[in-house]
């Protein structure tokens, strides 16, 4: 898939045209990198929907199920449990980039594609990110560490919070970027926004909103679990870090109705 690294002259022209005709793309690229924008979009031409990725909200499990559904009844060697198929260009939901002359996000909205995504309590999402990408990570080349302000993994959760709250949305990795920015909240008319805190029920509701009959909804499998939901947030957050997260991610708390208080 194109539009990942250095753009060709033709790709630059296509992108410029897209910005002229698609306000969602134009506004998004003012605050996030092009590669992040493209990576976060999964399109089903078969079922006419768009999933906007929001990392650390159960997205691996959901994208695996969506890939299974998209491949069902077709001859394919793709495995919907394979991370390359779930997240990257091998995904059947990555058949085209929404850049002119292909349908843009604005085109897809006009053509009645349904948009869905998931959100999560910001306190828990950041803890899940830290545990998964840094505390429990054994990767020698950690792409998330490269997106930290100093280009290195933090030594503690408090160090992680102190570092990221000073970043712009553009510099942040999607795993800790504002969810309102990740999902283009003010621009996209969502058919449904599920909540990680009610994942099993909202998983089913998501597919219902997409018009999938109950007996055709893929079985839920919990992939890429970090245990953040079982951890006590009070063990990781103090008053300083709680206040800092609430101030930096206030749009998420307000837009999605999460309170200032730490969840139990």
């Amino acid at each position: 898939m194109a539009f990942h690294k250095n753009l060709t002259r033709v790709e630059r022209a296509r992108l410029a045209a897209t910005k002229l005709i698609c306000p969602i793309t134009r506004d998004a690229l003012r605050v996030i990198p092009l590669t992040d924008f493209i990576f976060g979009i999964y399109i089903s031409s078969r079922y006419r929907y768009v999933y906007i990725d929001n990392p650390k909200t159960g997205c691996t499990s959901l994208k695996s199920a969506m890939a299974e559904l998209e491949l069902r009844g077709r001859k394919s060697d793709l495995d919907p449990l394979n991370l390359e198929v779930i997240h990257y260009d091998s995904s059947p939901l990555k058949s085209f980039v929404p850049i002119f002359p292909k349908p843009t996000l604005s085109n897809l909205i006009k053509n009645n594609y349904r948009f869905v995504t998931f959100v999560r309590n910001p306190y828990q999402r950041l803890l899940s990110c830290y545990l998964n990408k840094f505390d429990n990570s054994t990767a020698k080349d950690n792409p998330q560490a490269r997106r930290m302000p100093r280009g290195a993994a933090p030594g503690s959760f408090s160090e992680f919070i102190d570092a990221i709250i000073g970043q712009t949305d553009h510099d942040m990795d999607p795993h800790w970027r504002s969810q309102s920015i990740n999902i283009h909240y003010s621009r996209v008319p969502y058919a449904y926004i599920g909540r990680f805190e009610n994942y099993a029920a909202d998983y089913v509701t998501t597919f219902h909103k997409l018009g999938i009959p109950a007996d055709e909804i893929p079985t839920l499998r919990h992939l890429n679990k970090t245990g953040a939901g079982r951890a006590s947030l009070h063990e990781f957050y103090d008053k300083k870090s709680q206040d800092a997260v609430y101030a930096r991610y206030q749009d998420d708390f307000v837009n999605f109705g999460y309170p200032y208080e730490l969840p139990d």
Side-chain angles (χ1 to χ4, degrees):
M1 184 178 292
F3 292 94
H4 275 279
K5 296 181 180 179
N6 295 327
L7 301 184
T8 66
R9 184 175 64 179
V10 171
E11 288 171 341
R12 289 196 297 270
R14 290 177 59 192
L15 183 60
T18 301
K19 290 179 180 180
L20 287 175
I21 64 176
C22 181
I24 300 173
T25 302
R26 182 172 62 245
D27 290 350
L29 294 181
R30 288 171 177 159
V31 290
I32 66 174
L34 175 63
T35 50
D36 288 356
F37 173 73
I38 291 174
F39 183 84
I41 299 170
Y42 294 76
I43 303 169
S44 170
S45 299
R46 182 177 184 179
Y47 295 100
R48 299 178 62 81
Y49 72 82
V50 179
Y51 167 67
I52 302 295
D53 195 22
N54 185 29
K56 307 315 302 176
T57 63
C59 63
T60 301
S61 301
L62 185 60
K63 287 188 288 187
S64 175
M66 288 176 165
E68 175 190 323
L69 187 65
E70 198 75 8
L71 293 169
R72 191 175 289 167
R74 299 181 178 181
K75 279 190 174 183
S76 175
D77 294 329
L78 296 177
D79 178 4
L81 294 177
N82 184 314
L83 291 180
E84 291 293 323
V85 176
I86 293 173
H87 295 298
Y88 304 110
D89 288 354
S90 297
S91 170
L93 303 173
K94 290 285 188 180
S95 61
F96 71 89
V97 177
I99 300 295
F100 179 85
K102 297 293 185 180
T104 67
L105 294 185
S106 294
N107 292 144
L108 294 172
I109 290 172
K110 290 178 182 177
N111 289 328
N112 297 316
Y113 273 63
R114 286 158 288 189
F115 283 66
V116 295
T117 192
F118 265 73
V119 296
R120 186 176 189 176
N121 183 290
Y123 297 125
Q124 290 183 322
R125 178 171 176 261
L126 291 178
L127 177 57
S128 177
C129 172
Y130 169 75
L131 293 176
N132 178 230
K133 300 302 178 182
F134 301 116
D135 191 59
N136 297 332
S137 176
T138 58
K140 293 182 179 180
D141 182 22
N142 186 335
Q144 277 69 48
R146 295 198 298 270
R147 298 288 289 267
M148 292 292 291
R150 296 183 180 179
S156 66
F157 181 68
S158 61
E159 183 180 323
F160 171 62
I161 296 300
D162 287 344
I164 65 172
I165 59 172
Q167 287 186 300
T168 64
D169 288 310
H170 188 278
D171 290 340
M172 283 182 163
D173 184 271
H175 289 81
W176 61 82
R177 182 183 291 129
S178 162
Q179 299 175 81
S180 300
I181 298 296
N182 274 346
I183 70 171
H184 321 300
Y185 179 73
S186 64
R187 284 291 186 181
V188 172
Y190 279 96
Y192 189 65
I193 298 178
R195 292 178 179 268
F196 182 86
E197 295 79 15
N198 194 37
Y199 194 83
D202 286 7
Y203 170 92
V204 173
T205 301
T206 296
F207 286 103
H208 283 166
K209 293 291 185 179
L210 298 178
I212 309 303
D215 61 350
E216 295 182 17
I217 296 174
T219 301
L220 171 60
R221 53 267 195 171
H222 295 284
L223 306 176
N224 199 30
K225 296 176 71 173
T226 65
R230 296 189 299 273
S232 171
L233 269 67
H234 294 277
E235 296 177 12
F236 292 88
Y237 282 93
D238 56 18
K239 184 69 163 54
K240 176 186 173 184
S241 58
Q242 180 181 353
D243 287 346
V245 167
Y246 188 83
R248 178 61 181 85
Y249 295 89
Q250 189 168 15
D251 285 349
D252 294 345
F253 284 96
V254 172
N255 289 338
F256 310 124
Y258 289 107
Y260 164 79
E261 294 76 21
L262 294 175
D264 296 329

